[in-house]
Amino acid sequence: TALLLALQVRLVMKAHSFIRENVPRVLSSVKDKSGTVHIPRISQYLYFLFAPTLIYRDNYPRNPTIRWGYVATKFAQVLGSLFYAYYIFVRLCIPQFRNSSQETFNLRGLVLCIFNSILPGVLILFLVFFAFLHCWLNAFAEMLRFADRMFYK
């Protein structure tokens, strides 16, 4: 459910950006009573839906070719991050909670369990950010030939 919620939020943000960029342009052409109203093509909107950006533009800078080796490297890094997160769970998280479930509840055990879970939790958080924000989005940017890697600067 969290994944579906994240996808829905992304789509709402992209729709908001698309509307915010295009409605003033259409309204100004209607107010000026000019005969040409620039409406984006479906292909521009579809490219925007998959591009790793939340700011709509009619055209983005594009690379001439796709570096498939770079894409494979980024997807391998995503897989490596998943396996490393699995290793952290198996070695650091599961034994800690397995032992705590067999004991009677006390405050000391709860505090120790929480403090022993902080480092694995932070490592998992870093892995998720690295795998998604760096590897996954850069792989899709390369496959879509999205050239502006410093877009938000």
Short mmCIF file of all heavy atoms in Angstrom, two decimals, residues 57-114:
data_model
loop_
_atom_site.label_atom_id
_atom_site.label_comp_id
_atom_site.label_asym_id
_atom_site.label_seq_id
_atom_site.Cartn_x
_atom_site.Cartn_y
_atom_site.Cartn_z
N ARG A 57 8.13 20.70 -18.72
CA ARG A 57 8.60 21.53 -19.82
C ARG A 57 8.17 20.84 -21.11
O ARG A 57 8.03 19.62 -21.15
CB ARG A 57 10.12 21.69 -19.81
CG ARG A 57 10.68 22.33 -18.57
CD ARG A 57 10.38 23.83 -18.58
NE ARG A 57 10.92 24.47 -17.40
CZ ARG A 57 10.22 24.84 -16.35
NH1 ARG A 57 8.94 24.61 -16.31
NH2 ARG A 57 10.78 25.42 -15.33
N ASP A 58 8.00 21.64 -22.17
CA ASP A 58 7.64 21.01 -23.44
C ASP A 58 8.78 20.17 -24.00
O ASP A 58 8.56 19.13 -24.59
CB ASP A 58 7.24 22.08 -24.46
CG ASP A 58 5.88 22.68 -24.13
OD1 ASP A 58 5.07 21.99 -23.47
OD2 ASP A 58 5.63 23.84 -24.51
N ASN A 59 10.00 20.64 -23.80
CA ASN A 59 11.18 19.92 -24.29
C ASN A 59 12.24 19.89 -23.20
O ASN A 59 12.45 20.89 -22.50
CB ASN A 59 11.75 20.60 -25.53
CG ASN A 59 10.79 20.54 -26.69
OD1 ASN A 59 10.26 19.48 -27.00
ND2 ASN A 59 10.55 21.68 -27.31
N TYR A 60 12.92 18.77 -23.09
CA TYR A 60 14.02 18.61 -22.16
C TYR A 60 15.29 18.33 -22.97
O TYR A 60 15.20 17.78 -24.07
CB TYR A 60 13.77 17.43 -21.21
CG TYR A 60 12.57 17.61 -20.32
CD1 TYR A 60 11.35 17.06 -20.65
CD2 TYR A 60 12.67 18.34 -19.15
CE1 TYR A 60 10.25 17.22 -19.84
CE2 TYR A 60 11.57 18.51 -18.32
CZ TYR A 60 10.37 17.95 -18.68
OH TYR A 60 9.28 18.13 -17.87
N PRO A 61 16.45 18.69 -22.44
CA PRO A 61 17.68 18.30 -23.15
C PRO A 61 17.79 16.78 -23.20
O PRO A 61 17.46 16.11 -22.23
CB PRO A 61 18.80 18.91 -22.31
CG PRO A 61 18.19 19.42 -21.08
CD PRO A 61 16.71 19.44 -21.25
N ARG A 62 18.21 16.25 -24.35
CA ARG A 62 18.27 14.79 -24.54
C ARG A 62 19.65 14.38 -24.99
O ARG A 62 20.31 15.08 -25.76
CB ARG A 62 17.26 14.35 -25.61
CG ARG A 62 15.84 14.83 -25.46
CD ARG A 62 14.93 14.00 -24.61
NE ARG A 62 14.84 12.60 -24.92
CZ ARG A 62 13.87 12.04 -25.63
NH1 ARG A 62 12.93 12.78 -26.18
NH2 ARG A 62 13.85 10.74 -25.80
N ASN A 63 20.10 13.24 -24.51
CA ASN A 63 21.36 12.64 -24.99
C ASN A 63 21.12 12.00 -26.34
O ASN A 63 20.02 11.51 -26.61
CB ASN A 63 21.84 11.57 -24.01
CG ASN A 63 22.41 12.16 -22.75
OD1 ASN A 63 22.94 13.27 -22.75
ND2 ASN A 63 22.30 11.43 -21.66
N PRO A 64 22.15 11.96 -27.18
CA PRO A 64 21.95 11.32 -28.49
C PRO A 64 21.83 9.80 -28.41
O PRO A 64 21.16 9.19 -29.23
CB PRO A 64 23.19 11.74 -29.28
CG PRO A 64 24.20 12.13 -28.26
CD PRO A 64 23.46 12.58 -27.06
N THR A 65 22.48 9.17 -27.44
CA THR A 65 22.45 7.71 -27.35
C THR A 65 22.19 7.28 -25.90
O THR A 65 22.30 8.06 -24.97
CB THR A 65 23.79 7.08 -27.79
OG1 THR A 65 24.83 7.59 -26.94
CG2 THR A 65 24.10 7.41 -29.23
N ILE A 66 21.84 6.01 -25.76
CA ILE A 66 21.64 5.41 -24.45
C ILE A 66 22.87 4.57 -24.13
O ILE A 66 23.28 3.74 -24.94
CB ILE A 66 20.38 4.52 -24.43
CG1 ILE A 66 19.14 5.35 -24.74
CG2 ILE A 66 20.25 3.81 -23.09
CD1 ILE A 66 17.89 4.51 -24.92
N ARG A 67 23.45 4.79 -22.96
CA ARG A 67 24.60 3.99 -22.51
C ARG A 67 24.05 2.79 -21.73
O ARG A 67 23.77 2.89 -20.54
CB ARG A 67 25.52 4.83 -21.63
CG ARG A 67 26.10 6.03 -22.35
CD ARG A 67 26.91 6.88 -21.41
NE ARG A 67 26.00 7.46 -20.41
CZ ARG A 67 26.42 8.13 -19.35
NH1 ARG A 67 27.71 8.30 -19.12
NH2 ARG A 67 25.55 8.63 -18.49
N TRP A 68 23.92 1.66 -22.41
CA TRP A 68 23.30 0.49 -21.80
C TRP A 68 24.17 -0.09 -20.69
O TRP A 68 23.64 -0.70 -19.75
CB TRP A 68 22.98 -0.56 -22.85
CG TRP A 68 21.84 -0.12 -23.72
CD1 TRP A 68 21.91 0.31 -25.02
CD2 TRP A 68 20.46 0.00 -23.34
NE1 TRP A 68 20.66 0.66 -25.46
CE2 TRP A 68 19.76 0.48 -24.46
CE3 TRP A 68 19.76 -0.26 -22.17
CZ2 TRP A 68 18.39 0.70 -24.44
CZ3 TRP A 68 18.40 -0.03 -22.15
CH2 TRP A 68 17.72 0.43 -23.27
N GLY A 69 25.47 0.07 -20.78
CA GLY A 69 26.35 -0.38 -19.70
C GLY A 69 26.08 0.38 -18.41
O GLY A 69 26.09 -0.19 -17.31
N TYR A 70 25.84 1.68 -18.53
CA TYR A 70 25.51 2.51 -17.38
C TYR A 70 24.18 2.08 -16.76
O TYR A 70 24.05 1.98 -15.54
CB TYR A 70 25.45 3.98 -17.82
CG TYR A 70 25.14 4.96 -16.73
CD1 TYR A 70 26.14 5.38 -15.85
CD2 TYR A 70 23.87 5.48 -16.58
CE1 TYR A 70 25.86 6.30 -14.86
CE2 TYR A 70 23.58 6.39 -15.59
CZ TYR A 70 24.58 6.80 -14.73
OH TYR A 70 24.30 7.70 -13.74
N VAL A 71 23.19 1.79 -17.61
CA VAL A 71 21.88 1.33 -17.14
C VAL A 71 22.03 0.00 -16.40
O VAL A 71 21.48 -0.18 -15.30
CB VAL A 71 20.89 1.20 -18.32
CG1 VAL A 71 19.60 0.55 -17.87
CG2 VAL A 71 20.62 2.55 -18.94
N ALA A 72 22.79 -0.92 -16.96
CA ALA A 72 22.99 -2.22 -16.32
C ALA A 72 23.71 -2.06 -14.99
O ALA A 72 23.38 -2.74 -14.00
CB ALA A 72 23.79 -3.15 -17.24
N THR A 73 24.68 -1.15 -14.92
CA THR A 73 25.40 -0.89 -13.67
C THR A 73 24.45 -0.37 -12.60
O THR A 73 24.50 -0.80 -11.44
CB THR A 73 26.53 0.12 -13.90
OG1 THR A 73 27.42 -0.40 -14.89
CG2 THR A 73 27.30 0.39 -12.63
N LYS A 74 23.59 0.55 -12.97
CA LYS A 74 22.66 1.12 -11.99
C LYS A 74 21.66 0.08 -11.50
O LYS A 74 21.34 0.02 -10.31
CB LYS A 74 21.91 2.33 -12.58
CG LYS A 74 22.80 3.52 -12.82
CD LYS A 74 23.44 3.96 -11.52
CE LYS A 74 24.51 4.99 -11.76
NZ LYS A 74 25.33 5.23 -10.59
N PHE A 75 21.15 -0.77 -12.40
CA PHE A 75 20.22 -1.82 -11.97
C PHE A 75 20.95 -2.87 -11.11
O PHE A 75 20.37 -3.42 -10.17
CB PHE A 75 19.52 -2.47 -13.15
CG PHE A 75 18.40 -1.64 -13.69
CD1 PHE A 75 18.24 -1.44 -15.05
CD2 PHE A 75 17.48 -1.05 -12.84
CE1 PHE A 75 17.20 -0.67 -15.55
CE2 PHE A 75 16.43 -0.28 -13.32
CZ PHE A 75 16.30 -0.09 -14.68
N ALA A 76 22.23 -3.14 -11.42
CA ALA A 76 23.01 -4.05 -10.57
C ALA A 76 23.21 -3.45 -9.18
O ALA A 76 23.17 -4.18 -8.18
CB ALA A 76 24.35 -4.34 -11.23
N GLN A 77 23.39 -2.14 -9.10
CA GLN A 77 23.52 -1.49 -7.80
C GLN A 77 22.21 -1.56 -7.01
O GLN A 77 22.22 -1.70 -5.79
CB GLN A 77 23.97 -0.04 -7.97
CG GLN A 77 25.41 0.09 -8.40
CD GLN A 77 25.80 1.53 -8.68
OE1 GLN A 77 24.96 2.42 -8.76
NE2 GLN A 77 27.10 1.75 -8.86
N VAL A 78 21.07 -1.46 -7.70
CA VAL A 78 19.78 -1.62 -7.03
C VAL A 78 19.67 -3.03 -6.45
O VAL A 78 19.29 -3.21 -5.28
CB VAL A 78 18.59 -1.32 -7.98
CG1 VAL A 78 17.28 -1.74 -7.36
CG2 VAL A 78 18.56 0.14 -8.35
N LEU A 79 20.01 -4.03 -7.25
CA LEU A 79 19.97 -5.41 -6.76
C LEU A 79 20.95 -5.62 -5.61
O LEU A 79 20.62 -6.29 -4.61
CB LEU A 79 20.27 -6.39 -7.89
CG LEU A 79 19.16 -6.62 -8.89
CD1 LEU A 79 19.63 -7.51 -10.03
CD2 LEU A 79 17.96 -7.22 -8.21
N GLY A 80 22.14 -5.07 -5.71
CA GLY A 80 23.11 -5.16 -4.63
C GLY A 80 22.60 -4.52 -3.36
O GLY A 80 22.79 -5.06 -2.25
N SER A 81 21.93 -3.39 -3.49
CA SER A 81 21.35 -2.73 -2.32
C SER A 81 20.26 -3.57 -1.68
O SER A 81 20.16 -3.65 -0.45
CB SER A 81 20.77 -1.36 -2.71
OG SER A 81 21.78 -0.51 -3.19
N LEU A 82 19.45 -4.22 -2.51
CA LEU A 82 18.40 -5.11 -1.97
C LEU A 82 19.00 -6.29 -1.22
O LEU A 82 18.54 -6.65 -0.13
CB LEU A 82 17.49 -5.59 -3.09
CG LEU A 82 16.57 -4.55 -3.72
CD1 LEU A 82 15.82 -5.13 -4.90
CD2 LEU A 82 15.62 -4.00 -2.69
N PHE A 83 20.04 -6.90 -1.80
CA PHE A 83 20.68 -8.03 -1.12
C PHE A 83 21.36 -7.59 0.17
O PHE A 83 21.33 -8.31 1.17
CB PHE A 83 21.68 -8.73 -2.04
CG PHE A 83 21.02 -9.61 -3.06
CD1 PHE A 83 21.26 -9.41 -4.40
CD2 PHE A 83 20.17 -10.63 -2.68
CE1 PHE A 83 20.66 -10.21 -5.35
CE2 PHE A 83 19.55 -11.44 -3.62
CZ PHE A 83 19.80 -11.22 -4.95
N TYR A 84 21.96 -6.41 0.17
CA TYR A 84 22.61 -5.90 1.38
C TYR A 84 21.56 -5.59 2.46
O TYR A 84 21.78 -5.88 3.64
CB TYR A 84 23.45 -4.68 1.05
CG TYR A 84 24.31 -4.20 2.19
CD1 TYR A 84 25.09 -5.09 2.92
CD2 TYR A 84 24.34 -2.87 2.54
CE1 TYR A 84 25.87 -4.65 3.97
CE2 TYR A 84 25.13 -2.42 3.59
CZ TYR A 84 25.89 -3.32 4.29
OH TYR A 84 26.66 -2.89 5.33
N ALA A 85 20.43 -5.04 2.06
CA ALA A 85 19.34 -4.78 3.02
C ALA A 85 18.82 -6.10 3.59
O ALA A 85 18.55 -6.20 4.80
CB ALA A 85 18.21 -4.01 2.34
N TYR A 86 18.69 -7.12 2.76
CA TYR A 86 18.29 -8.45 3.24
C TYR A 86 19.29 -8.99 4.25
O TYR A 86 18.92 -9.52 5.30
CB TYR A 86 18.14 -9.41 2.06
CG TYR A 86 17.90 -10.83 2.46
CD1 TYR A 86 16.65 -11.24 2.92
CD2 TYR A 86 18.92 -11.77 2.38
CE1 TYR A 86 16.43 -12.55 3.30
CE2 TYR A 86 18.71 -13.08 2.75
CZ TYR A 86 17.46 -13.47 3.22
OH TYR A 86 17.25 -14.75 3.60
N TYR A 87 20.58 -8.83 3.97
CA TYR A 87 21.63 -9.29 4.87
C TYR A 87 21.55 -8.56 6.22
O TYR A 87 21.69 -9.17 7.27
CB TYR A 87 23.00 -9.06 4.22
CG TYR A 87 24.16 -9.45 5.10
CD1 TYR A 87 24.51 -10.79 5.26
CD2 TYR A 87 24.90 -8.48 5.77
CE1 TYR A 87 25.57 -11.15 6.06
CE2 TYR A 87 25.96 -8.84 6.57
CZ TYR A 87 26.29 -10.17 6.72
OH TYR A 87 27.33 -10.52 7.53
N ILE A 88 21.30 -7.25 6.17
CA ILE A 88 21.17 -6.48 7.41
C ILE A 88 19.98 -6.97 8.23
O ILE A 88 20.07 -7.14 9.45
CB ILE A 88 21.06 -4.97 7.11
CG1 ILE A 88 22.39 -4.45 6.59
CG2 ILE A 88 20.62 -4.19 8.34
CD1 ILE A 88 22.33 -3.03 6.07
N PHE A 89 18.86 -7.21 7.55
CA PHE A 89 17.68 -7.72 8.27
C PHE A 89 17.97 -9.08 8.90
O PHE A 89 17.64 -9.31 10.07
CB PHE A 89 16.48 -7.85 7.32
CG PHE A 89 15.64 -6.62 7.26
CD1 PHE A 89 15.50 -5.93 6.07
CD2 PHE A 89 14.97 -6.16 8.38
CE1 PHE A 89 14.72 -4.80 6.00
CE2 PHE A 89 14.19 -5.02 8.32
CZ PHE A 89 14.07 -4.34 7.13
N VAL A 90 18.56 -9.98 8.14
CA VAL A 90 18.79 -11.34 8.64
C VAL A 90 19.80 -11.35 9.78
O VAL A 90 19.62 -12.06 10.77
CB VAL A 90 19.25 -12.26 7.48
CG1 VAL A 90 19.77 -13.58 7.99
CG2 VAL A 90 18.10 -12.48 6.52
N ARG A 91 20.86 -10.57 9.67
CA ARG A 91 21.93 -10.61 10.67
C ARG A 91 21.68 -9.71 11.88
O ARG A 91 22.11 -10.06 12.98
CB ARG A 91 23.27 -10.20 10.04
CG ARG A 91 23.83 -11.22 9.14
CD ARG A 91 24.18 -12.42 9.94
NE ARG A 91 25.04 -13.29 9.17
CZ ARG A 91 25.44 -14.44 9.59
NH1 ARG A 91 25.09 -14.86 10.76
NH2 ARG A 91 26.20 -15.18 8.83
N LEU A 92 21.04 -8.57 11.69
CA LEU A 92 20.94 -7.60 12.78
C LEU A 92 19.54 -7.40 13.33
O LEU A 92 19.37 -7.15 14.53
CB LEU A 92 21.52 -6.26 12.33
CG LEU A 92 22.99 -6.26 11.91
CD1 LEU A 92 23.38 -4.91 11.38
CD2 LEU A 92 23.87 -6.67 13.06
N CYS A 93 18.52 -7.49 12.50
CA CYS A 93 17.17 -7.17 12.96
C CYS A 93 16.41 -8.40 13.45
O CYS A 93 15.85 -8.39 14.55
CB CYS A 93 16.38 -6.49 11.85
SG CYS A 93 17.04 -4.88 11.41
N ILE A 94 16.37 -9.43 12.65
CA ILE A 94 15.55 -10.59 12.99
C ILE A 94 16.00 -11.27 14.29
O ILE A 94 15.15 -11.56 15.13
CB ILE A 94 15.49 -11.58 11.80
CG1 ILE A 94 14.72 -10.92 10.65
CG2 ILE A 94 14.84 -12.89 12.21
CD1 ILE A 94 14.71 -11.73 9.38
N PRO A 95 17.30 -11.49 14.51
CA PRO A 95 17.68 -12.11 15.80
C PRO A 95 17.30 -11.24 17.00
O PRO A 95 16.91 -11.78 18.04
CB PRO A 95 19.20 -12.25 15.70
CG PRO A 95 19.49 -12.27 14.26
CD PRO A 95 18.46 -11.39 13.62
N GLN A 96 17.40 -9.96 16.85
CA GLN A 96 17.06 -9.07 17.96
C GLN A 96 15.59 -9.18 18.32
O GLN A 96 15.22 -9.29 19.49
CB GLN A 96 17.40 -7.62 17.58
CG GLN A 96 17.06 -6.61 18.63
CD GLN A 96 17.92 -6.77 19.87
OE1 GLN A 96 19.06 -7.16 19.79
NE2 GLN A 96 17.35 -6.49 21.02
N PHE A 97 14.71 -9.17 17.33
CA PHE A 97 13.28 -9.24 17.61
C PHE A 97 12.82 -10.66 17.93
O PHE A 97 11.84 -10.84 18.63
CB PHE A 97 12.48 -8.66 16.44
CG PHE A 97 12.64 -7.17 16.33
CD1 PHE A 97 13.42 -6.60 15.34
CD2 PHE A 97 12.04 -6.33 17.24
CE1 PHE A 97 13.57 -5.24 15.25
CE2 PHE A 97 12.18 -4.96 17.18
CZ PHE A 97 12.95 -4.41 16.17
N ARG A 98 13.52 -11.65 17.43
CA ARG A 98 13.17 -13.03 17.77
C ARG A 98 13.41 -13.28 19.25
O ARG A 98 12.61 -13.89 19.93
CB ARG A 98 13.98 -14.02 16.92
CG ARG A 98 13.57 -15.46 17.18
CD ARG A 98 14.34 -16.44 16.31
NE ARG A 98 13.98 -16.23 14.92
CZ ARG A 98 14.87 -16.21 13.93
NH1 ARG A 98 16.15 -16.39 14.17
NH2 ARG A 98 14.48 -16.02 12.69
N ASN A 99 14.53 -12.78 19.77
CA ASN A 99 14.83 -12.95 21.19
C ASN A 99 13.87 -12.15 22.07
O ASN A 99 13.50 -12.60 23.15
CB ASN A 99 16.27 -12.53 21.48
CG ASN A 99 17.27 -13.47 20.84
OD1 ASN A 99 16.95 -14.61 20.52
ND2 ASN A 99 18.48 -13.00 20.61
N SER A 100 13.50 -10.97 21.62
CA SER A 100 12.62 -10.14 22.44
C SER A 100 11.19 -10.67 22.49
O SER A 100 10.47 -10.41 23.44
CB SER A 100 12.62 -8.69 21.95
OG SER A 100 12.02 -8.62 20.68
N SER A 101 10.79 -11.43 21.49
CA SER A 101 9.43 -11.96 21.50
C SER A 101 9.27 -13.13 22.46
O SER A 101 8.16 -13.46 22.85
CB SER A 101 9.02 -12.38 20.09
OG SER A 101 9.79 -13.48 19.67
N GLN A 102 10.37 -13.77 22.86
CA GLN A 102 10.29 -14.91 23.77
C GLN A 102 10.37 -14.48 25.23
O GLN A 102 10.09 -15.28 26.11
CB GLN A 102 11.41 -15.89 23.45
CG GLN A 102 11.26 -16.51 22.07
CD GLN A 102 12.48 -17.31 21.66
OE1 GLN A 102 13.49 -17.30 22.34
NE2 GLN A 102 12.36 -18.01 20.54
N GLU A 103 10.78 -13.25 25.48
CA GLU A 103 10.91 -12.77 26.85
C GLU A 103 9.62 -12.07 27.28
O GLU A 103 8.82 -11.64 26.45
CB GLU A 103 12.08 -11.78 26.95
CG GLU A 103 13.42 -12.38 26.61
CD GLU A 103 14.52 -11.33 26.55
OE1 GLU A 103 14.23 -10.16 26.84
OE2 GLU A 103 15.64 -11.69 26.20
N THR A 104 9.45 -11.94 28.57
CA THR A 104 8.33 -11.15 29.06
C THR A 104 8.62 -9.68 28.84
O THR A 104 9.77 -9.26 28.80
CB THR A 104 8.10 -11.42 30.57
OG1 THR A 104 9.28 -11.07 31.28
CG2 THR A 104 7.75 -12.88 30.82
N PHE A 105 7.56 -8.90 28.71
CA PHE A 105 7.73 -7.48 28.41
C PHE A 105 8.26 -6.74 29.63
O PHE A 105 7.75 -6.87 30.73
CB PHE A 105 6.40 -6.87 27.99
CG PHE A 105 6.49 -5.40 27.72
CD1 PHE A 105 7.04 -4.94 26.55
CD2 PHE A 105 6.06 -4.48 28.66
CE1 PHE A 105 7.14 -3.59 26.30
CE2 PHE A 105 6.15 -3.12 28.43
CZ PHE A 105 6.70 -2.68 27.24
N ASN A 106 9.32 -5.96 29.40
CA ASN A 106 9.82 -5.02 30.41
C ASN A 106 10.43 -3.82 29.69
O ASN A 106 10.79 -3.90 28.52
CB ASN A 106 10.81 -5.68 31.37
CG ASN A 106 12.04 -6.23 30.67
OD1 ASN A 106 12.29 -5.92 29.51
ND2 ASN A 106 12.79 -7.05 31.37
N LEU A 107 10.53 -2.74 30.39
CA LEU A 107 11.01 -1.49 29.79
C LEU A 107 12.47 -1.59 29.37
O LEU A 107 12.84 -1.07 28.32
CB LEU A 107 10.81 -0.33 30.78
CG LEU A 107 11.12 1.06 30.25
CD1 LEU A 107 10.22 1.37 29.06
CD2 LEU A 107 10.95 2.10 31.33
N ARG A 108 13.28 -2.25 30.15
CA ARG A 108 14.70 -2.40 29.82
C ARG A 108 14.87 -3.14 28.49
O ARG A 108 15.66 -2.74 27.64
CB ARG A 108 15.41 -3.14 30.94
CG ARG A 108 16.89 -3.32 30.70
CD ARG A 108 17.54 -4.11 31.85
NE ARG A 108 18.93 -4.33 31.62
CZ ARG A 108 19.42 -5.37 30.94
NH1 ARG A 108 18.61 -6.27 30.43
NH2 ARG A 108 20.71 -5.49 30.78
N GLY A 109 14.13 -4.21 28.29
CA GLY A 109 14.21 -4.97 27.04
C GLY A 109 13.74 -4.16 25.85
O GLY A 109 14.32 -4.24 24.76
N LEU A 110 12.70 -3.36 26.05
CA LEU A 110 12.20 -2.51 24.97
C LEU A 110 13.23 -1.47 24.56
O LEU A 110 13.49 -1.27 23.37
CB LEU A 110 10.90 -1.84 25.39
CG LEU A 110 10.29 -0.86 24.39
CD1 LEU A 110 9.80 -1.62 23.16
CD2 LEU A 110 9.17 -0.07 25.02
N VAL A 111 13.85 -0.82 25.55
CA VAL A 111 14.87 0.20 25.25
C VAL A 111 16.07 -0.42 24.56
O VAL A 111 16.60 0.13 23.58
CB VAL A 111 15.27 0.95 26.55
CG1 VAL A 111 16.47 1.83 26.31
CG2 VAL A 111 14.10 1.77 27.06
N LEU A 112 16.53 -1.57 25.03
CA LEU A 112 17.66 -2.25 24.38
C LEU A 112 17.32 -2.65 22.95
O LEU A 112 18.15 -2.52 22.05
CB LEU A 112 18.07 -3.47 25.19
CG LEU A 112 18.88 -3.20 26.46
CD1 LEU A 112 19.10 -4.49 27.23
CD2 LEU A 112 20.18 -2.53 26.11
N CYS A 113 16.12 -3.13 22.75
CA CYS A 113 15.69 -3.52 21.40
C CYS A 113 15.66 -2.31 20.46
O CYS A 113 16.13 -2.40 19.32
CB CYS A 113 14.32 -4.18 21.48
SG CYS A 113 13.79 -4.92 19.95
N ILE A 114 15.17 -1.19 20.95
CA ILE A 114 15.12 0.02 20.12
C ILE A 114 16.52 0.51 19.79
O ILE A 114 16.83 0.82 18.64
CB ILE A 114 14.29 1.11 20.82
CG1 ILE A 114 12.81 0.73 20.81
CG2 ILE A 114 14.49 2.47 20.15
CD1 ILE A 114 11.93 1.63 21.63
#
